Amino acid sequence: MSTQPSPTLHDKVLHHLDTIYAGMDVDTGALATDLLATMRLDHPYNEPVPHQNHWSQEDIILITYGDSLLEEDEHPLHTLHHFLHRYAKGYLNGVHILPFFPYSSDDGFAVIDYSSVNEALGDWQDIQGIASEFRLMADVVINHCSSRSVWFDNFIKGEGIGHDFFMTASPQDDLSSVVRPRTSELLRETQTASGTQYVWCTFSHDQVDFDFRNPAVLTTFVSIMRQYLDMGVDIFRLDAVAFLWKDITTPCINLPQTHEVVRLLRTLVEHARSSAVLITETNIPNRENLTYFGNANEAHAIYNFSLPPLLVNTLITGNCQHLKNWMMSMPPAQNGTTYFNFIASHDGIGLRPVEGLLSEIELNTLLSTMQQFGGLVSWRTAASGQQQPYEINIALYDALQGTVRGADKWGLERMICAHAIMLGMEGIPGIYIHSLLGTQNDYEKVKNTSHNRSINRHRWDYQALQSALADPVSTHHKVLSRLQSLMQVRTQQPAFHPNATQFTLQLGDAVFGFWRQSIDRRQSIFCISNVSDENQDIHLSDINLIGTDHWVDLITDSAISLDDPSLTLHPYQTLWIANRPA
């Protein structure tokens, strides 16, 4: 006979629900009981320890599609597992497999069926096999699903599961204040059994938005997350969660109910598995993004969306002032929370996160430089009705092939410098597979799909890739081997713990530096990068190395002599200067 839910946990869930559904005709007591049963918390469980870090310096996440690597007559997920075992194990310990479910568009983010694995990729056994060796991160595409799903079919028919899952509005409603990430019309005209309805579509007309005012939608997603836990998922990426709750009198982004849903999901997930982590994917201005930490009771981690555009801008201009100012403004993450750092992903380089950080002139310079290097620009419709740049679509290797003056010979060094900066920063690093492999712009895929984001979603023939990686003169071999070396060093340094102390250094515009100190204060690392295409000298007095310790550059494993008053950094060179007690 099962034990009744803990009154404390039931009351906590009830409080979340009362906040979410305030003023609505919802039996929150019964709903709380249902959610606890759905997450199988109607039996004894372990109370999570507050402010506990479920990560260390050993955590590095590879970001990839399930079919980024293709081998003839083999499930792509099996090929991915082989790649991870051969090229990633020992360097990184986690993998984010982008939506691996049946889908109709947006390379997986228009999910048809959340409960099954896309047969073209493999099956749940393949997912569990990867999860048995690597920490698995998976998407919960929580804002919308495919218009080809059974749920939406039932909405059109007006019966069955899903018939009441979707958000609708009227063309006569004043929706002018709604924040949009795209240029398409917000409402999709849809013929249903009950007449014409206008379905809310934040992203595309194939991605129909859920209506979380219906508690059945919430219960369904709790059930989905329970299944993913059972299949080995340890990290949940809440996709586009900022748009989850809609109120047509508001901008429909970052609403209080959305934050409370994140708090509720954290409560349920961390009681089901204490080590599980929620990451919110909120491609929005920096100050808004930070609110998803809550009071260490919402997301365990938030995407550091300002980092990619600021770091690329730094390396193409040779000036780190904006990156430095941003880093100084970022609050240290409380224990139990951390940043998720990345500089490239399956999406583009988002531009909303640098609103207020880069001037219009600087943003235009960044855009024109990226276009010069083959990049594309995706747009959104602002509240004013004007189109504004939303993201830059480009492979990171191509984005860093030169400066504002044009392409040059330092592309590889810039690529390594960018990752050395990210790998040293406070937070958990995520490395996109096409950055790890030095993949360049895929113009053919853009032509075939007519989607700008396809430029950085190349699919490798695995045999061809292995040949390239075995060739010491190939760019792909050089990028992979050097990033492997950096990752191997990082994972051994306590001062690179995601929550270790971080201070920004003041070393001029062309040298970007920060100091990390381990939680036990025994190790210090000065991370210093020349972000320009000219040699830069730094004075050791500027970083105040303690004379009673021996100091070494971890990247080259060479000693730093305190007898020399200065160090010379070559273009885009990074030093990780660490102490070794005498």
Side-chain angles (χ1 to χ4, degrees):
M1 182 174 179
S2 64
T3 304
Q4 290 298 311
S6 161
T8 302
L9 178 57
H10 188 275
D11 289 347
K12 189 172 183 179
V13 171
L14 181 60
H15 172 74
H16 291 310
L17 295 173
D18 284 341
T19 302
I20 295 167
Y21 296 107
M24 299 176 63
D25 185 19
V26 175
D27 185 346
T28 52
L31 180 57
T33 300
D34 287 347
L35 293 180
L36 291 171
T38 300
M39 192 56 82
R40 297 206 297 275
L41 293 173
D42 52 348
H43 57 75
Y45 52 83
N46 293 320
E47 190 73 26
V49 178
H51 301 288
Q52 188 172 52
N53 297 322
H54 302 300
W55 44 78
S56 73
Q57 64 272 18
E58 296 180 5
D59 284 285
I60 302 175
I61 309 294
L62 181 73
I63 305 165
T64 181
Y65 280 103
D67 59 356
S68 292
L69 310 170
L70 301 176
E71 177 82 88
E72 190 174 356
D73 297 325
E74 184 173 75
H75 282 164
L77 286 173
H78 186 80
T79 306
L80 174 62
H81 197 172
H82 180 272
F83 170 84
L84 291 168
H85 202 271
R86 179 171 179 181
Y87 297 103
K89 198 164 188 178
Y91 304 104
L92 52 83
N93 68 348
V95 57
H96 171 202
I97 306 177
L98 291 153
F100 46 79
F101 319 105
Y103 71 97
S104 56
S105 64
D106 198 17
D107 281 352
F109 286 93
V111 179
I112 292 175
D113 178 9
Y114 290 82
S115 64
S116 62
V117 176
N118 185 350
E119 290 182 355
L121 299 178
D123 52 32
W124 280 116
Q125 187 173 351
D126 293 314
I127 293 293
Q128 291 176 302
I130 293 173
S132 69
E133 288 192 72
F134 296 87
R135 196 170 190 187
L136 180 60
M137 177 171 166
D139 289 274
V140 180
V141 185
I142 197 167
N143 179 71
H144 51 262
C145 73
S146 169
S147 66
R148 291 174 52 192
S149 65
V150 170
W151 293 340
F152 197 67
D153 284 345
N154 289 342
F155 167 81
I156 292 172
K157 291 186 292 186
E159 60 184 21
I161 297 174
H163 79 277
D164 54 357
F165 275 18
F166 298 96
M167 180 72 185
T168 61
S170 167
Q172 279 69 52
D173 292 330
D174 181 5
L175 303 174
S176 59
S177 64
V178 175
V179 171
R180 296 299 315 288
R182 299 289 185 272
T183 58
S184 58
E185 291 293 326
L186 175 61
L187 300 182
R188 161 190 162 144
E189 183 177 338
T190 304
Q191 302 304 319
T192 75
S194 58
T196 302
Q197 297 203 54
Y198 295 87
V199 181
W200 195 286
C201 298
T202 298
F203 291 90
S204 79
H205 284 192
D206 186 42
Q207 293 165 295
V208 285
D209 282 33
F210 294 111
D211 185 355
F212 272 83
R213 295 175 301 179
N214 178 1
V217 177
L218 178 61
T219 303
T220 297
F221 272 93
V222 170
S223 175
I224 289 166
M225 294 175 75
R226 178 67 257 184
Q227 180 190 10
Y228 294 176
L229 281 170
D230 293 339
M231 294 300 168
V233 173
D234 195 47
I235 305 173
F236 295 89
R237 177 185 183 270
L238 300 180
D239 176 66
V241 70
F243 299 95
L244 180 142
W245 195 272
K246 282 84 173 174
D247 176 345
I248 65 172
T249 65
T250 74
C252 297
I253 188 171
N254 306 323
L255 297 188
Q257 295 91 334
T258 293
H259 284 279
E260 197 65 40
V261 169
V262 176
R263 294 185 194 109
L264 168 65
L265 294 177
R266 173 165 175 162
T267 295
L268 293 170
V269 167
E270 69 182 2
H271 278 83
R273 182 185 298 165
S274 60
S275 64
V277 170
L278 294 187
I279 299 184
T280 48
E281 188 267 334
T282 47
N283 190 357
I284 52 180
N286 193 53
R287 287 183 179 274
E288 298 172 25
N289 192 30
L290 289 168
T291 65
Y292 282 87
F293 277 141
N295 296 313
N297 62 348
E298 289 191 38
H300 293 90
I302 62 172
Y303 271 72
N304 228 341
F305 273 107
S306 296
L307 179 60
L310 287 177
L311 187 49
V312 170
N313 182 73
T314 293
L315 291 168
I316 67 167
T317 63
N319 188 316
C320 66
Q321 192 62 49
H322 290 304
L323 182 63
K324 190 163 51 179
N325 290 342
W326 167 76
M327 179 176 271
M328 288 189 292
S329 74
M330 295 295 282
Q334 298 183 54
N335 281 331
T337 66
T338 191
Y339 294 102
F340 185 75
N341 297 323
F342 71 107
I343 48 178
S345 73
H346 61 291
D347 290 337
I349 299 171
L351 298 176
R352 291 215 68 203
V354 289
E355 290 178 9
L357 301 178
L358 295 180
S359 70
E360 186 174 351
I361 292 174
E362 290 166 328
L363 182 58
N364 288 336
T365 299
L366 174 61
L367 288 171
S368 62
T369 304
M370 294 299 98
Q371 289 173 313
Q372 180 184 348
F373 296 157
L376 306 171
V377 179
S378 294
W379 302 81
R380 71 182 185 93
T381 301
S384 63
Q386 294 181 325
Q387 291 196 5
Q388 294 182 347
Y390 179 71
E391 67 181 14
I392 302 166
N393 305 110
I394 190 169
L396 185 63
Y397 190 87
D398 284 315
L400 299 176
Q401 66 181 269
T403 69
V404 293
R405 297 185 300 276
D408 60 25
K409 64 180 181 180
W410 299 109
L412 175 61
E413 300 307 321
R414 259 185 226 97
M415 185 77 169
I416 303 307
C417 179
H419 285 88
I421 289 172
M422 179 186 70
L423 287 166
M425 290 176 58
E426 174 189 1
I428 299 171
I431 300 180
Y432 188 41
I433 190 169
H434 292 306
S435 298
L436 187 70
L437 300 174
T439 310
Q440 295 183 267
N441 292 336
D442 190 337
Y443 301 111
E444 189 65 27
K445 191 168 186 185
V446 173
K447 181 180 177 182
N448 291 337
T449 65
S450 299
H451 293 302
N452 287 357
R453 285 179 168 177
S454 296
I455 199 169
N456 197 23
R457 298 179 177 181
H458 181 70
R459 290 190 178 104
W460 273 99
D461 175 86
Y462 190 47
Q463 292 296 326
L465 175 62
Q466 290 182 95
S467 297
L469 294 179
D471 181 358
V473 302
S474 80
T475 297
H476 310 293
H477 171 89
K478 292 175 182 177
V479 172
L480 175 64
S481 60
R482 291 184 64 177
L483 292 184
Q484 285 174 329
S485 179
L486 287 175
M487 290 188 288
Q488 193 168 45
V489 172
R490 176 206 154 84
T491 57
Q492 299 170 18
Q493 314 309 319
F496 284 152
H497 186 285
N499 293 86
T501 299
Q502 176 174 287
F503 285 120
T504 310
L505 302 176
Q506 304 299 323
L507 301 172
D509 290 343
V511 179
F512 180 64
F514 52 95
W515 173 71
R516 304 293 309 279
Q517 185 182 59
S518 60
I519 294 171
D520 64 10
R521 300 187 179 182
R522 296 179 63 184
Q523 186 186 44
S524 290
I525 302 178
F526 292 87
C527 304
I528 301 170
S529 298
N530 178 359
V531 297
S532 78
D533 56 5
E534 297 180 354
N535 286 348
Q536 300 292 330
D537 293 328
I538 62 166
H539 295 280
L540 292 183
S541 59
D542 290 338
I543 57 176
N544 195 26
L545 301 183
I546 299 172
T548 55
D549 287 352
H550 295 307
W551 295 89
V552 63
D553 172 30
L554 296 171
I555 294 176
T556 60
D557 197 29
S558 57
I560 303 296
S561 173
L562 299 184
D563 295 332
D564 297 327
S566 65
L567 290 171
T568 298
L569 276 73
H570 300 300
Y572 307 106
Q573 182 183 2
T574 294
L575 302 177
W576 286 345
I577 302 175
N579 63 322
R580 289 181 177 168

